[in-house]
């Protein structure tokens, strides 16, 4: 549909992935919530964007699974690095990385805290959490 002269076409509503990436780019971790019910949605949910509001997340999470990568599949990654499946305290799960001290060790179920490094969302063990062997 062509806009009529003198009108500006409405901007397309962002998708959840675009919104999530936009917030991450600003150093914010937010989760999608249904406006009507307050239900926190998983990132793969696709309700109409008008029904979703993005609310700040606590940033705390639990390590659900991980693997150690020995090959950098993206420029700027130092090997080895951890690819982690983390569950936010609000419920949604996402893939990220966990940054450890040189002597650190990952353990399923360990509590994590979100942080931002080089414009990327990463997780670190919560202070006071024993992550060393």
């Amino acid at each position: 549909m062509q806009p009529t002269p003198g009108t500006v076409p409405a901007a397309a509503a962002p998708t959840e992935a675009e919104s999530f990436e936009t917030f991450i780019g600003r150093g914010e971790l937010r989760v999608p919530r249904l406006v009507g019910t307050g239900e926190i949605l998983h990132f793969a949910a696709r309700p109409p964007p008008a029904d979703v509001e993005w609310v700040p997340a606590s940033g705390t999470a639990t390590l659900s699974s991980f693997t150690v990568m020995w090959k950098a599949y993206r420029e700027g990654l130092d090997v080895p690095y951890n690819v982690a499946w983390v569950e936010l305290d609000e419920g949604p799960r996402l893939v990220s990385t966990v940054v450890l001290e040189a002597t650190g060790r990952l353990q399923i179920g360990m509590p994590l805290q979100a942080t931002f490094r080089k414009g990327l969302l990463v997780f670190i063990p919560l202070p006071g959490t024993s992550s060393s062997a």
Side-chain angles (χ1 to χ4, degrees), residues 30-103:
R30 291 181 176 249
V31 292
R33 179 171 71 183
L34 278 178
V35 174
T37 65
E39 175 188 359
I40 300 295
L41 302 173
H42 290 273
F43 294 112
R46 296 285 181 240
D51 294 345
V52 174
E53 61 184 346
W54 288 83
V55 296
S58 65
T60 52
T62 302
L63 181 62
S64 296
S65 184
F66 69 92
T67 188
V68 178
M69 302 298 287
W70 293 91
K71 179 177 179 179
Y73 288 95
R74 190 171 82 199
E75 190 174 322
L77 291 175
D78 297 326
V79 292
Y81 62 96
N82 304 303
V83 175
W85 185 246
V86 301
E87 182 172 344
L88 299 177
D89 285 356
E90 292 79 8
R93 290 183 175 194
L94 55 89
V95 175
S96 187
T97 190
V98 178
V99 178
L100 297 171
E101 300 284 328
T103 59

